[in-house]
Amino acid sequence: MPRPERFDVVVVGGGPAGTMAARAAALKGAKTLLLERDPVIGTPVRCGEGVTVRNLSRFMAIEEKWIAARVIGVTIYAPDGTPVSGGLTEQIGAILERTLFDRRLGEMAAESGAQIITRADVEGLISVDNNVQGVVFRRFNRTSKVVCGMVIAADGVESRVGRWAGINTQLAAGDSESAYQMVLAGIEFNRQHCHFYIGNNIAPGGYIWVFPKGEKTANVGIGVETKRIGSKSAYSLLADFIRRRFGCPSVVGESAGGVPVAMPLKKPFRAGIILAGDAARHCNPLTGGGIYSGMVSGWYAGETAAEAVAAGDCSEHFLKCFLERIDSEITVPHRRAYRIARAVGQLTDESLNRTARELLAIPPEQRTYKKIFLTGLRENPKLIFEVMRYFI
């Protein structure tokens, strides 16, 4: 085996968290390498692609080619089919073309100085005295070693890299959702809204989404709590919904995956390594959305890693500042969202139907997410303050 190459920071995973981490580390002056297992950054797409444009503009100038559709509102359907619509644009904004968006994030990382290698399957870590000091990866049947000061694991749900470092990344059954999505073409729907269908028979512990991608094209997907679907599957529940709602439409794409809906990891680091994005459970446990929180997580992980290498101190004590940086944007709101999500998941279909009818009495322009959750959870007064603080 050839002599290991040396980098300051090695990032494992080329999703939004990984590419942002590589970009941030490189901008800080760190010699940075990003390793992505798939052949192309941005594929396959494994999410509904909904984001808030305002959030994205924090990190970059928005390019219209990334955006498949803009929305002006949201419609939520109760289990009995009662639709509740509102102008919730601030919380949604746009539906991305993830293949283009993720590729651009990779390009920006490279333009900032990071080196990127695709088809690189990381197989293990290099550790000395419990300090992570590099990775081993395989590409085209050739094994290579890379020595580094810091590793950033952005390798997704139940991170293998984190587990190899001794961090417990396994999710409890109730903290994981099974998701399946189809891209349907030739369908009729209100493409100015994002649509959410809820109910214990429709999507136990989760919801079905219909996000516009074009005039008659949409991402139609489902996220369900694995332990609550019995012998059924996310695919079968979604297929049943599509038959009822759209008949037999053309399917031009399909994808499946797991979604962490758990509390953020209390300690997403060890000496020489930081976990970011889904790997650190930095995914909103209420909505399942992880694009923006992954970008925030990755950015701060990259900055922290570069600073640790520059300081010659990659110890756990130094890396604690990562938690301080993500506390207000990720850790605190996601913990509150977790408690709200657990309560919402226990609501009966009758309660959900009643909540929908009560919300219809509120003028559409006043139907905010806060009012929706306050109405739905009014029988659980302990959570009222959690709801209030989550939306402040």
Side-chain angles (χ1 to χ4, degrees):
M1 186 180 296
R3 184 176 180 179
E5 189 172 358
R6 173 81 193 191
F7 282 84
D8 295 322
V9 176
V10 172
V11 181
V12 182
T19 49
M20 289 298 286
R23 178 185 169 197
L27 287 173
K28 280 278 186 177
K31 183 181 179 183
T32 304
L33 173 66
L34 187 150
L35 300 173
E36 165 56 41
R37 180 169 58 184
D38 289 321
V40 179
I41 286 180
T43 59
V45 175
R46 295 189 178 94
C47 83
E49 304 176 282
V51 294
T52 301
V53 173
R54 181 186 60 189
N55 286 342
L56 295 185
S57 63
R58 170 183 172 182
F59 292 108
M60 65 199 71
I62 305 299
E63 297 180 24
E64 284 301 316
K65 64 182 179 181
W66 304 339
I67 298 176
R70 292 182 181 270
V71 295
I72 60 172
V74 167
T75 301
I76 300 173
Y77 299 83
D80 64 2
T82 301
V84 179
S85 297
L88 304 176
T89 311
E90 278 194 3
Q91 301 297 330
I92 303 295
I95 311 304
L96 292 174
E97 289 287 2
R98 280 290 303 274
T99 53
L100 299 178
F101 176 72
D102 283 23
R103 186 177 72 187
R104 181 59 188 144
L105 291 182
E107 291 170 352
M108 293 173 75
E111 290 164 4
S112 299
Q115 180 179 344
I116 299 174
I117 301 177
T118 57
R119 293 187 184 272
D121 190 7
V122 174
E123 297 183 327
L125 295 175
I126 301 169
S127 297
V128 178
D129 298 329
N130 291 321
N131 294 337
V132 175
Q133 296 185 1
V135 302
V136 179
F137 72 94
R138 179 177 290 273
R139 187 172 191 270
F140 294 130
N141 295 318
R142 179 185 176 186
T143 299
S144 301
K145 287 185 176 181
V146 178
V147 175
C148 63
M150 283 291 305
V151 170
I152 297 174
D155 56 330
V157 181
E158 295 192 327
S159 167
R160 293 189 308 162
V161 176
R163 186 170 67 251
W164 295 334
I167 299 172
N168 182 9
T169 61
Q170 185 174 1
L171 289 162
D175 288 342
S176 175
E177 287 193 353
S178 177
Y180 202 97
Q181 179 172 272
M182 299 183 192
V183 183
L184 305 185
I187 61 175
E188 298 290 342
F189 66 105
N190 178 359
R191 62 186 180 85
Q192 292 185 314
H193 278 214
C194 284
H195 305 267
F196 298 89
Y197 296 78
I198 57 176
N200 292 298
N201 291 322
I202 296 172
Y207 59 86
I208 286 174
W209 65 86
V210 178
F211 290 176
K213 290 278 285 186
E215 290 285 339
K216 294 187 177 183
T217 303
N219 288 339
V220 182
I222 187 172
V224 290
E225 193 173 323
T226 310
K227 70 176 184 179
R228 293 177 58 177
I229 58 177
S231 60
K232 297 181 180 180
S233 65
Y235 171 81
S236 65
L237 288 167
L238 179 62
D240 288 343
F241 168 82
I242 290 173
R243 279 193 294 270
R244 293 193 306 270
R245 175 63 180 81
F246 298 110
C248 297
S250 296
V251 179
V252 296
E254 296 183 62
S255 59
V259 180
V261 286
M263 289 276 199
L265 283 176
K266 291 182 178 180
K267 185 181 170 186
F269 58 84
R270 292 195 69 175
I273 185 170
I274 298 174
L275 275 60
D278 283 1
R281 303 177 189 171
H282 293 162
C283 180
N284 188 312
L286 183 60
T287 66
I291 297 174
Y292 178 67
S293 56
M295 292 172 68
V296 172
S297 173
W299 183 266
Y300 287 130
E303 287 196 333
T304 302
E307 291 169 4
V309 173
D313 184 359
C314 300
S315 66
E316 291 187 3
H317 178 75
F318 186 98
L319 299 180
K320 286 180 180 178
C321 67
F322 175 60
L323 286 180
E324 297 171 1
R325 288 170 168 172
I326 65 171
D327 190 57
S328 63
E329 293 186 78
I330 295 177
T331 308
V332 171
H334 283 195
R335 285 176 178 169
R336 289 173 180 159
Y338 180 86
R339 289 188 282 270
I340 296 170
R342 296 307 96 182
V344 170
Q346 297 305 311
L347 294 176
T348 64
D349 283 0
E350 181 182 351
S351 294
L352 294 170
N353 291 333
R354 183 172 62 249
T355 298
R357 291 191 294 270
E358 292 178 6
L359 288 168
L360 287 177
I362 301 173
E365 66 275 8
Q366 296 179 23
R367 294 173 196 158
T368 63
Y369 277 137
K370 183 165 71 174
K371 281 192 176 180
I372 289 172
F373 286 113
L374 286 174
T375 302
L377 297 174
R378 68 189 181 286
E379 296 175 6
N380 194 335
K382 291 182 180 179
L383 280 173
I384 297 300
F385 290 108
E386 294 289 351
V387 173
M388 295 295 289
R389 288 186 290 181
Y390 180 76
F391 288 102
I392 292 174

